[in-house]
Amino acid sequence: MSAVMPLPPATLPTCASTVHARRGRWLALVLIALALGLFVLGTAVGSSGFENLLPALWNPQGDSAAHAMAQKIVWDIRLPRTLGAWCAGALLGLAGAVAQGLFRNPLADPYLLGSASGASLGVALALALMGGGAGMLGGAQSAITVSVYSSHWLVRLGLTGAAFVGAVLAVLLTLVLARGVQHTLRLLLAGVVVGVVLGALTSLILLLSPDSLQAMQAFLLGSTGFVGWTSCVLMAGVWLLCLVVAWLLARGLDGLALGEATALSLGLRLAPLRAALVAVLALATGTAVAQTGLIAFVGLAAPHLVRAAAPVPHGRLMLLSSLMGGALLAGADLLARGLLAPQELPVGVLTAVLGGGYLLWLMHRRTSPGGLL
């Protein structure tokens, strides 16, 4: 099996590049409008229908208890959850675009390269060393009894920091085992090996620390149910930082897509470029995984959908992939809430089923320029 990244649109004729740029602008507008629509729908989907919440929400002179409850459901639960789902999807979409550009392989995503497994191991270690006390993710994560454990450096570092360190080490280990990024098949195999080994270590830690099993179960299945405003601000800030850095490095990715020899002839310093991109990849993945758990296939599918709709250079590709990833995860979160209401599905399970089906469809199509095989 060979996986070849398409050439960046900057190498195409000017007319084609203009058409692709126009399509990219339209796609950005559509994705922004879709995000706004999902934010509105996010206030309506849940165990209590919006038709029941709306009268109590906009009639404070009536039942004060019902008004307070409706306000809490909308402003303290549903809105931060929807926004958090979008931010986590945007981080994963950006990480997927960076990984595919860095490794010049459309199969690459943060999960296949072992970074998510490393982040999971970091979180499992933090939970185990705190005795399972940090049992909730997202918004509840900030309400952990930090004062009790303030003397421990892992608590000061936080679950996001632990996930970030684990993701960085996992990616570096993958690169060492693959002996660089020259051979994509070796890179993917190394990522699979690292993911399996780190996953086994995570399972071993959970067996030795049974108090962390309940918290880690929600983490492994993926959930946006505990995301609060603090997590939203954190993920939004990290997303903006990673997006700015990735945008500044986009021309380097365009040059790298033409081959290492061409990139070197253009004067690109590949070692610092790769180091910065790996840092962006690990930070984006670690932050999203620490807040929402393991969300599958978003990082892989978002860049593919963008390239299919509007082939653009890496700068615009990473921005559009972020918007696409946010829309995908926010939409999946609404489905997870609404399909079996009042019960909820783990959003990570839903994205795995939908993303796996999309991946099988891509493999069946066997398209040539931007395809998978």
Side-chain angles (χ1 to χ4, degrees):
M1 181 179 65
S2 63
V4 180
M5 285 288 292
L7 292 177
T11 63
L12 298 176
T14 305
C15 182
S17 299
T18 302
V19 173
H20 292 158
R22 186 181 302 113
R23 291 171 64 181
R25 288 192 292 269
W26 278 107
L27 179 61
L29 292 176
V30 169
L31 291 175
I32 292 173
L34 181 60
L36 295 176
L38 290 172
F39 292 155
V40 174
L41 289 176
T43 64
V45 178
S47 58
S48 298
F50 198 67
E51 66 279 0
N52 298 326
L53 291 177
L54 187 60
L57 185 64
W58 295 106
N59 185 22
Q61 304 302 327
D63 190 345
S64 59
H67 174 74
M69 179 62 67
Q71 190 175 34
K72 182 176 182 60
I73 290 175
V74 172
W75 298 107
D76 296 339
I77 299 177
R78 292 187 180 178
L79 279 180
R81 175 174 181 171
T82 304
L83 180 59
W86 188 92
C87 289
L91 285 169
L92 292 175
L94 174 61
V98 169
Q100 293 177 14
L102 173 62
F103 301 115
R104 291 181 291 156
N105 194 316
L107 285 176
D109 78 341
Y111 288 62
L112 292 177
L113 298 179
S115 57
S117 299
S120 300
L121 179 60
V123 172
L125 280 171
L127 290 173
L129 292 176
M130 289 187 290
M136 305 302 286
L137 302 173
Q141 184 174 305
S142 60
I144 300 171
T145 57
V146 176
S147 59
V148 177
Y149 301 99
S150 59
S151 61
H152 205 289
W153 68 273
L154 272 178
V155 179
R156 293 197 300 269
L157 184 64
L159 295 185
T160 299
F164 171 64
V165 172
V168 170
L169 295 179
V171 171
L172 292 177
L173 181 58
T174 300
L175 293 174
V176 170
L177 293 179
R179 299 176 184 175
V181 295
Q182 291 83 5
H183 304 285
T184 55
L185 181 58
R186 181 187 297 173
L187 180 65
L188 291 175
L189 290 176
V192 171
V193 171
V194 169
V196 171
V197 172
L198 296 185
L201 291 177
T202 301
S203 300
L204 179 61
I205 291 172
L206 293 178
L207 287 176
L208 297 176
S209 177
D211 293 338
S212 304
L213 282 174
Q214 184 176 1
M216 203 63 187
Q217 183 180 13
F219 181 88
L220 294 175
L221 292 177
S223 174
T224 57
F226 301 107
V227 175
W229 288 114
T230 302
S231 297
C232 291
V233 172
L234 175 63
M235 287 190 288
V238 172
W239 173 66
L240 288 174
L241 174 63
C242 292
L243 186 63
V244 170
V245 175
W247 182 276
L248 294 176
L249 300 173
R251 289 188 177 274
L253 280 176
D254 289 336
L256 190 60
L258 300 175
E260 290 191 6
T262 303
L264 289 172
S265 67
L266 294 174
L268 294 177
R269 301 174 59 188
L270 295 185
L273 174 65
R274 287 184 179 132
L277 290 172
V278 166
V280 170
L281 171 63
L283 178 59
T285 305
T287 303
V289 170
Q291 302 300 325
T292 61
L294 299 183
I295 307 294
F297 284 104
V298 173
L300 175 63
H304 278 282
L305 292 173
V306 171
R307 281 195 293 266
V312 290
H314 279 95
R316 297 174 187 174
L317 173 66
M318 289 184 288
L319 174 60
L320 292 174
S321 296
S322 290
L323 297 176
M324 181 68 74
L328 289 176
L329 188 52
D333 179 60
L334 289 179
L335 288 177
R337 284 189 259 169
L339 284 179
L340 298 179
Q343 295 181 344
E344 292 186 10
L345 290 172
V347 67
V349 175
L350 187 60
T351 57
V353 172
L354 297 178
Y358 174 69
L359 179 62
L360 291 175
W361 176 70
L362 279 182
M363 295 177 65
H364 178 70
R365 283 185 59 195
R366 295 175 179 265
T367 53
S368 49
L372 192 62
L373 299 177

